[in-house]
Amino acid sequence: MNGEEYSIEYFKENEFIRKNCEKCGSHFWTRDRDRKACGDAPCEFYSFIGKPIFKERSLDEIRECFLSFFEHRSHTRMKRYPVVARWRDDIYLNIASIANFQPFVTSGKVPPPANPLVISQPCIRLEDLESIGKTGRHLTTFEMMGHHAFNTRGGAEIYWKNETVKYCDEFLKQLGVDMDSVTYKEAPWMGGGNAGPCLEVITEGLELATLVFMDLKLSPRGEISIKGQQYEKMDTYIVDTGYGLERFVWASKGTPTVYDAIFPDVIKELVNAAGIEHPLDTHPDIFKTYASLSGAMNRRKIIKEISIPPEFIKNALEPIETIYAVADHTKCLAFMLADGIVPSNAKEGYLARLVLRRVFRMLKSLGIEMPLEEIVLMQIETLKNSFPELENSVDRIVEIVSLEKRRYDDTLLKGERIVMQDVKRDTEKEPTSLTIETNRLIYYYDTHGLPPEFVEEVVSNMTDLKTGMGVKVDFPENFYSLVASMHSSEERKGAMEPFVEGMEEKTKSIPATIKLYYEEPSAVEFEATVLDSFDDFVMLDRTLFFPEGGGQPADTGFLTLVPKDENRALKVVDVQEVEGVILHKIENGGISKGAAVSGHIDAERRIPHARHHSATHIVVCAARKVLGDQVWQAGAQKGEKRARIDITHFKRISDAERREIELLANRMVMENKEVRASFEDRNEAEQKYGFGIYQGGVPPGKKIRIVRIGADEDVQACAGTHCSKTGEVGPIKILRTERIQDGIERIEYSAGEAAVEEMQAREELIRKSASVLKVPLEMLPTTVERFFAEWKQLRKENERLRGEIAEMELERLMEKKKEISGVEVIAEVLPDADMKEMLKIASQLSEKGYPTMLLNRRENSSSVVSAVPSDLSGEINASEWGKPVYKMLGGSGGGTAIIAQGGGEKVEMVEEAREEGLKFIEELLKKREKKLL
């Protein structure tokens, strides 16, 4: 990107000089003619620590100062967006203020909600997790104060580079910054498929703001090359600025770190809970010097530079860095959980759990027993004046965090056994050298939830075992950033994406289909003209056929050629939509372009789909009322007989909650509320109803179809077909609930006639059960309970008797032992024993010192168990002993050196197989006897 992009009139008018940094080679603009470096780290150290850049101000004061500054300059103040990016289908977390307006506004498809606008947006980025607490400046959660102007080529310009730099300069002057210390460093920006010139605003070694002039987009035919990628000019050009709220507060306080500036009360509580002293109190000079260098050097270089004592690092620096990270992460959790993220093993829930488990680990390392939820509530207490909505979620946050702690503890209990088993297995193959690689650590974390530090601990505790010798753990410093980056974005391709991509070229010249199913939702017949056809697909100028989408299956039916003397019905078996064009897949023939047709949809299919779609909205609405606002749709499917909805929730739905959801849903039905659907401006809909409208997904376009139930009790962006009133849905019966994955609950239900059929089927099941037991319906529960109690008692008695028989069997088998080369061996057939019994008996006999092989004889198969005392397992392998026996029975098996099991279907060969087993062990024991001699 050439210097012309940065030739800004404001710089010329105010006597800025463009210079080349003598340290990093970057170009920058400055008023100071004597300046030689760009001012950015590592070219310059933090020189404001202990010497604030301007008058001290709080977070609230800086935020209000910024917002008011731009309001007075004709910018519209916007409310914050959630930290979970519900309006995006490509990322999970809100990473920047411009992300609020991507992709629709930035691409020009949708106008901005205001222009220009100003916002202070809480953001979350997890790509630098390992740096949190250590560099003094990195944060997971920060407020990006931004002013944005959205310009369109050929339209009236709002403002561009000149005004953006002017505003920045004026704002810094208003705060009291020494303007001779300010530099504007040229740094081309790229991100999210866009690019543009960028100026980093720096003073005293600290970057305060970034001014991006977004005007390029990725294009394989682009003529502008930046870092090996080709770009072309966008139809829009956008001012995208980011002023770091926390950094401005830090600059005004001059504290050693940004954490001391923004979390003073929380850090004080954590320091006391950990029983340590803040190094600012015990080693102020060393700590301030270290902090001033931390923006320019890593720890190793700083230690070498200023000779920091090792005891300071271990006893003061490392503990306070961990406390800083806890303070940062708990603010992150406050926003994540309050904005509705449910910890899980997928999507945004994965990222929340990652942060939670890092903090659990840190608190343990510090010896802090204070529950994590208490620290999160401390953060909410400090944030409530600026973000009062966080307080609404306090009870849910406490429940989620305490539940996650129990799950984490359970994970570690199970995890020790998993790691030890893996290490023992692998060291059998490589007894002298084993490394647990990064990929295996990621597997442990993603699959079992085991942190790499825990894996290191387990391995280190195995050093006394032969199998643990020489085991190393390849634990990269950026591990958590690595796994966070792997789970921070969504693969947008759906199941229909290949189909859509293949059809876009064929349909691009065809006008959008008129959607009669919106205009005439109760109609079942229509007339239309064929615009085109290819393969098995027909495109009409208008249609009643609903295309598959939003979990609702496509309509089916038939098309009939007109006039009637050419009557021929063509079956419509599938319907899809590609960029507004609806494709009807037909069987048994084709239709030529320009033909007139009559269409008829299958109403017996459409009506249940509409009922179940409306029922889905009703059930989700009821679930949010019962379970909480964190409920979010994670998937749905509607059918003719039943439907299901997958929702985010942090625990299993109880029977009482299920009944309450069902009751509320049916109340909404009985109240016969109006169901209204209309197309609304996207921005207006978002501002009017919030981002909950995207429960079912994010539709494209300036106008989106909004479906509202009653007095806006449920409002969603939805393209599906619906009933006109909730009463038309009919009864709703929840059939079952289940946890399909961690953090995701599935509710399955039926509506209308299908619900009545389900209730009748269940009623018949109960009637038949009562008939079998010969009791009235009302007596069925107590009768079943009595029978179950009697059955349990009989089972206990049966187990007792089997135990006695087993003892007798043990004695009988020991009497039949056969001595082979000085070793007493047992090999017998137990015709009626099952595998469980044989395993138990064989194990008991091997513990008594007898190598044992037991076989049974069932109708169609024979099972085999072999067990060897541990002191003989080096010479007699139970798994090897079983192989010739399984083979003779025509089957297979496997196991360990101590115990193995298998079998086959050649029941008639059981005695011969037993003899083969005896022959095998006899040969082994004779070889052993010769070695001993």
Side-chain angles (χ1 to χ4, degrees), residues 38-59:
C38 65
D40 196 8
C43 300
E44 187 172 317
F45 303 140
Y46 294 152
S47 55
F48 66 92
I49 292 176
K51 296 179 288 184
I53 295 172
F54 52 88
K55 181 183 175 182
E56 181 175 334
R57 290 175 175 85
S58 67
L59 289 164

Side-chain angles (χ1 to χ4, degrees), residues 762-810:
R762 293 183 177 212
E763 185 179 307
E764 180 64 11
L765 185 65
I766 294 170
R767 189 196 64 76
K768 285 183 177 179
S769 299
S771 176
V772 168
L773 296 173
K774 293 182 170 49
V775 296
L777 291 179
E778 60 272 17
M779 294 293 293
L780 187 59
T782 55
T783 303
V784 170
E785 286 176 3
R786 178 169 58 82
F787 279 9
F788 183 64
E790 291 174 358
W791 173 81
K792 285 199 297 184
Q793 187 61 38
L794 288 171
R795 189 176 67 171
K796 285 181 181 178
E797 180 64 15
N798 185 45
E799 287 175 355
R800 185 186 67 78
L801 292 172
R802 290 171 74 94
E804 290 181 4
I805 293 170
E807 286 294 327
M808 294 169 61
E809 190 68 29
L810 276 178

Side-chain angles (χ1 to χ4, degrees), residues 132-146:
I132 308 300
K134 296 178 181 178
T135 62
R137 69 183 187 278
H138 279 95
L139 297 164
T140 59
T141 307
F142 57 94
E143 277 187 64
M144 183 178 285
M145 304 184 298

Side-chain angles (χ1 to χ4, degrees), residues 266-278 320 323 368:
V266 174
I267 288 171
K268 184 178 179 181
E269 289 285 342
L270 292 172
V271 165
N272 291 336
I276 64 171
E277 293 183 277
H278 198 301
I320 198 63
I323 283 173
I368 294 178

